[in-house]
Amino acid sequence: MSRISGSSPSLAAPQSPPQEWPKTVTFARDLAAQGDRPALITADGELSYRELAERVTATAERLGPVRRLVMLAGSNTADALVIHLAALSAGHPVLLTPGDSEGTIRALTEAYAPDVVARPYSDGTWTLDERHPASAHTLHPDLALLLSTSGSTGSPKLVRLSHDNLQSNAEAIASYLGIDDTDRAATTLPMHYCYGLSVIHSHLARGAALILTERSVSETAFWEEFRAARGTSLAGVPYTFDLLDRVGFEHMDLPHLRRLTQAGGRLAPQRVAHYAALGRRAGWELYVMYGQTEATARMAYLPPHLAAERPEAIGVPIPGGCFRLNPVDCHDPDVGELVYSGSNVMLGYAQSPADLALGRTVQELHTGDLARRAPDGLYEIVGRRSRFLKILGLRIDPQQVETLLDRHGVTAYCTGDGEALAVAALGGAGAEASIRRLVARECGLPARAIRVRTLAELPRLTSGKPDYEAVRRLANPEQEEAPGATADLRLLYAEILDHPDVSEDSSFVGLGGDSLCYVEISLRLEETLGQLPVDWHTMTIRDLRALAAATTEDRRQPDAPRTPRDRRIPRALRSWTGPRSWRSRRTLETGIALRAVGIVLIVGSHVQVFSIKGFAHILIAVAGYNFARFQLTEAARRERLRRLWRSIARIAVPSMVWITGAVLLTDHYDPANALLLNSLLSQGNDRFDWAYWFVEALVYYLVVLTALMAIPLLDRLERRYPFEVPLGLAIIALAGRYDLFGLASARPQLSPSVVFWLFALGWAAARAGTVRQRALLTAVLLFTVPGLFQDQPLRTALVITGLGLLIWVPTLPSIGPVNTLVGVLASSSLYIYLTHYQVYPHLQEDFPLTALFASLAVGVGYAAVVTRTASSVRRRRPSSTIA
């Protein structure tokens, strides 16, 4: 765990006249009373309550006895938590901000001029930037914490919370959840988000342990850490439950799990009932909860035994709280605005530093939610008062529109303004018209007043809540255009992916990008942005722009502290300086380089300009590598399958068209070749019979794997064990490699059953995230490749070297002109492979070099024809899909 350093010249605590000891938060002050019980469990080890208390005390002494406003860049790390607890225990008000949002930190620093700023440097060392020895503000004695109500927008409007607010809400939550000192809760939500912070506070208040992690529940490593720590509690917003569905949570073995809690937005009743039933079978309980930042965190909870039968309810008030319904015009008599009172209701809002001197200005909380109290005493939310819109004279409730669409199987976020209703929905572009008609029919709005955008991912804040501001921009087309580089990136994605619906929240894989268009777009992006992070294909355009802007600013201010997100920026991207000249140093992905070099060596060896064999087998592994990166994305199973079938078509159709022409015009091929069935039907050993074995093998693998991924159990298994599944397949495929069942063809090294293990190894290489995993793959490679090519040691060494590069070296150094040439060859490699058999025989004997270059040129030309034809076909047919 890293050291906290200071940036002031003197480390002595600021001096001041004697004053009354400030108010503090009990659970933060009394940590030592929990003794040697584990408090924090991290990847680096455990920290006991006694050790945590010592660190908190030392940091509190650094902050000094004079109350100062401490801005903390929140993160789920031990250092951030120590500073937070130190400030609370010493009476310093904390302004908690998202640590990964530089814009928010900058905006709130300018708005509130904090006395101390706590944030990390790039090396993980935290700094206390002490700007004022005594506070520049008048701080009310009750003020303990300032939280934003607007996600990470940097709005100066903050919620003022007192010491009593924090202590009472932590105690109430711990009480109804039954938390005790044997519990261990994972930090699955951001610390700066009131729900995530309440998990921390409520468990510390009971002497329970926290499994500190910044990993997502979608990562295998998260579940490894959770099991190893014997985790008992998970917290999630609705989006978290989407991720749990994707990773196969239903089938996980979590023997110590006691409870799953949900808040942060409405979870559909059918999903509440589903998870309640799942918990009943597995031995844990589901708590659905309701709250707002203005109530510190929680106001109500649904007792777990009622979740299955009353999944639409928010439940009953938390211990110490109560509800009343305030009548609202134009609604049923039993419906009113939900008003909450309790010791956890905020002091009030702050919109400027002067407000920090205020005491309590709010006695009860008008939630803005419309609710009813059912006969069984449970409260139900029926709408949102403040979200009502008046569009063309009609009163529209966006939440009711969301519910309407959900009943029709459409997941959507809705908002708008006085001019139009904005609907962002999951689905294909062809669904926009039907969604618009449905909303118009049900709401009575004209279609022109409804703006629908279908997306691969709905916009969310860092907390996982809906980003309604992003949705609202859909109602104002003139606001949609991003400045400069972002608009250019959107046009670039739209052009290369031939996709009409590209937004700032689009990503390459989200738009259905695959290995055939990956090369061109990656090289074009590097021309625009400079060196790219390795996982750029999974990042949104918004994030790519933000990273580029952040690294430009970082270059201008190299000594500025960095946020946790900054530390995740690859070193290559940290040197980003904008668009590159043609002579600038660049990087080239190893997979792209192997495709380009491979196709030249394959064709050249066939022409007999030289004889360097083995690259076709390397490219089988590269195909597996790309399969994992571009097909096995985080998309839902049906979306995955749709993209897989489309990729199969993009390979099979142009191949069959070209080979059919070769069958009709030459005597070298038969219909089995045209149907890509030669590997299954032919027993001959003619060179041209086996010309297209590579294409056939690739199509067979994709078809079989698509069929397997259509099975829900196997789909969940792959998501849960992304490295182990391909490694297991590679081991199973060794039966084919050594032809244990006699399935190999007349040319065994070209038989799909023999070389599938290379495809699986490439797949595993893309999923290998540790040195141990890469070393394991290397060992498999070294033991299994020898013997595949009889008496061809150079070919064997070449295959081992190529796959070794794929496993260990993600990128290679390059320059602009080389990238341009390599990009053309790599993106056209499939088509060069298809066409060169009909080109080089006519020139090989007299003009071998000409035969080589002509083969490459014809393949590049065929690639252009295929791309333009496919684009033309998509534009002419009715739009029915979203990539």
Side-chain angles (χ1 to χ4, degrees), residues 492-499 507-508 511-513 517 521 874:
L492 177 63
Y493 275 54
E495 172 194 346
I496 297 178
L497 297 176
D498 193 32
H499 200 290
S507 68
F508 177 79
L511 294 172
C517 48
I521 200 167
R874 282 193 293 269

Side-chain angles (χ1 to χ4, degrees), residues 405-704:
L405 292 171
D406 185 61
R407 288 201 301 267
H408 287 81
V410 178
T411 301
Y413 296 157
C414 303
T415 186
D417 54 21
E419 301 295 326
L421 175 69
V423 179
L426 289 177
E432 292 180 353
S434 60
I435 292 173
R436 185 178 293 107
R437 287 193 299 269
L438 172 63
V439 174
R441 183 178 69 248
E442 296 293 332
C443 298
L445 285 171
R448 63 180 172 81
I450 304 167
R451 298 198 172 106
V452 179
R453 174 72 61 83
T454 50
L455 305 167
E457 293 279 349
L458 293 178
R460 293 181 174 88
L461 301 171
T462 57
S463 63
K465 286 187 174 183
D467 185 351
Y468 283 112
E469 183 57 37
V471 178
R472 184 175 289 109
R473 287 196 293 269
L474 299 179
N476 296 281
E478 67 276 7
Q479 295 179 11
E480 290 185 48
E481 287 303 319
T486 303
D488 292 341
L489 292 185
R490 289 167 58 183
L491 292 174
L492 177 63
Y493 275 54
E495 172 194 346
I496 297 178
L497 297 176
D498 193 32
H499 200 290
D501 184 28
V502 178
S503 71
E504 285 193 72
D505 295 307
S506 300
S507 68
F508 177 79
V509 294
L511 294 172
D514 58 22
S515 61
L516 295 178
C517 48
Y518 176 80
V519 177
E520 180 180 2
I521 200 167
S522 65
L523 297 178
R524 293 273 295 278
L525 277 176
E526 193 170 79
E527 290 177 7
T528 304
L529 299 178
Q531 296 176 3
L532 298 174
V534 174
D535 61 346
W536 71 264
H537 57 288
T538 65
M539 299 171 62
T540 65
I541 292 175
R542 186 193 309 277
D543 285 342
L544 284 172
R545 177 170 57 89
L547 284 174
T551 47
T552 301
E553 181 67 22
D554 184 58
R555 187 174 180 86
R556 295 192 188 111
Q557 302 179 24
D559 296 326
R562 294 187 177 92
T563 67
R565 180 170 181 174
D566 294 331
R567 296 199 301 277
R568 292 194 291 269
I569 300 174
R571 185 175 301 276
L573 189 56
R574 291 179 189 165
S575 62
W576 183 89
T577 55
R580 306 297 186 94
S581 72
W582 71 273
R583 293 176 295 180
S584 297
R585 289 185 180 179
R586 296 188 187 172
T587 58
L588 182 63
E589 288 195 22
T590 302
I592 296 176
L594 290 174
R595 287 170 64 182
V597 173
I599 195 61
V600 172
L601 294 182
I602 289 169
V603 176
S605 295
H606 289 170
V607 178
Q608 298 180 0
V609 173
F610 38 71
S611 182
I612 303 177
K613 298 181 179 180
F615 256 95
H617 292 79
I618 293 174
L619 295 187
I620 285 287
V622 172
Y625 187 85
N626 290 332
F627 170 75
R629 297 182 73 197
F630 307 126
Q631 305 304 330
L632 302 184
T633 65
E634 292 293 331
R637 181 170 57 88
R638 289 185 179 180
E639 180 64 16
R640 266 190 177 184
L641 295 175
R642 191 186 66 77
R643 293 178 184 177
L644 278 165
W645 286 119
R646 188 181 67 178
S647 291
I648 292 169
R650 291 188 67 182
I651 296 169
V653 171
S655 299
M656 295 170 73
V657 168
W658 182 270
I659 300 171
T660 297
V663 170
L664 296 175
L665 298 175
T666 72
D667 297 327
H668 296 305
Y669 310 94
D670 59 36
N673 292 110
L675 296 174
L676 303 180
L677 296 175
N678 182 73
S679 298
L680 299 179
L681 302 179
S682 177
Q683 295 301 315
N685 198 28
D686 182 85
R687 177 182 181 184
F688 286 103
D689 283 344
W690 291 93
Y692 296 108
W693 72 271
F694 179 91
V695 178
E696 293 179 1
L698 192 54
V699 171
Y700 296 167
Y701 299 158
L702 293 178
V703 169
V704 171

Side-chain angles (χ1 to χ4, degrees), residues 51 103 190 204 242 274 315 356 398 429-430 477-478 491 750 761-762 768 810:
E51 293 167 327
L204 292 177
D242 292 341
H274 168 74
L356 305 183
E478 67 276 7
L491 292 174
L750 308 184
L761 278 181

Side-chain angles (χ1 to χ4, degrees), residues 226-456:
F226 188 75
R227 290 189 189 91
R230 302 192 302 280
T232 65
S233 183
L234 288 171
V237 296
Y239 181 56
T240 308
F241 285 77
D242 292 341
L243 296 178
L244 291 179
D245 289 344
R246 294 181 188 180
V247 300
F249 174 79
E250 182 175 351
H251 301 282
M252 288 185 182
D253 179 24
L254 302 169
H256 302 285
L257 184 62
R258 299 175 185 174
R259 69 184 68 84
L260 192 59
T261 65
Q262 184 272 320
R266 179 178 181 270
L267 189 65
Q270 62 269 27
R271 300 192 71 198
V272 172
H274 168 74
Y275 272 91
L278 177 60
R280 190 166 54 248
R281 294 194 302 270
W284 48 263
E285 295 180 314
L286 174 69
Y287 286 82
V288 176
M289 307 184 298
Y290 166 79
Q292 292 180 359
T293 308
E294 288 84 346
T296 309
R298 302 278 70 78
M299 288 184 282
Y301 74 100
L302 181 62
H305 67 279
L306 298 175
E309 58 187 80
R310 294 286 273 113
E312 70 279 10
I314 63 168
V316 297
I318 65 172
C322 64
F323 286 131
R324 68 179 179 85
L325 296 176
N326 210 25
V328 176
D329 293 339
C330 304
H331 284 280
D332 295 339
D334 64 337
V335 173
E337 182 184 9
L338 193 63
V339 181
Y340 175 82
S341 59
S343 58
N344 54 313
V345 173
M346 66 175 177
L347 297 174
Y349 292 110
Q351 302 201 58
S352 70
D355 295 333
L356 305 183
L358 298 176
R360 179 168 292 281
T361 58
V362 174
Q363 302 302 322
E364 57 182 8
L365 179 61
H366 290 254
T367 66
D369 288 323
L370 300 177
R372 66 164 61 92
R373 187 175 185 272
D376 58 7
L378 300 181
Y379 285 85
E380 303 171 359
I381 301 296
V382 299
R384 178 74 182 160
R385 184 177 187 180
S386 62
R387 286 188 63 199
F388 275 106
L389 306 169
K390 197 164 188 179
I391 302 174
L392 303 180
L394 295 175
R395 186 178 170 86
I396 303 297
D397 180 357
Q399 183 168 324
Q400 291 299 318
V401 179
E402 291 175 3
T403 302
L404 161 72
L405 292 171
D406 185 61
R407 288 201 301 267
H408 287 81
V410 178
T411 301
Y413 296 157
C414 303
T415 186
D417 54 21
E419 301 295 326
L421 175 69
V423 179
L426 289 177
E432 292 180 353
S434 60
I435 292 173
R436 185 178 293 107
R437 287 193 299 269
L438 172 63
V439 174
R441 183 178 69 248
E442 296 293 332
C443 298
L445 285 171
R448 63 180 172 81
I450 304 167
R451 298 198 172 106
V452 179
R453 174 72 61 83
T454 50
L455 305 167

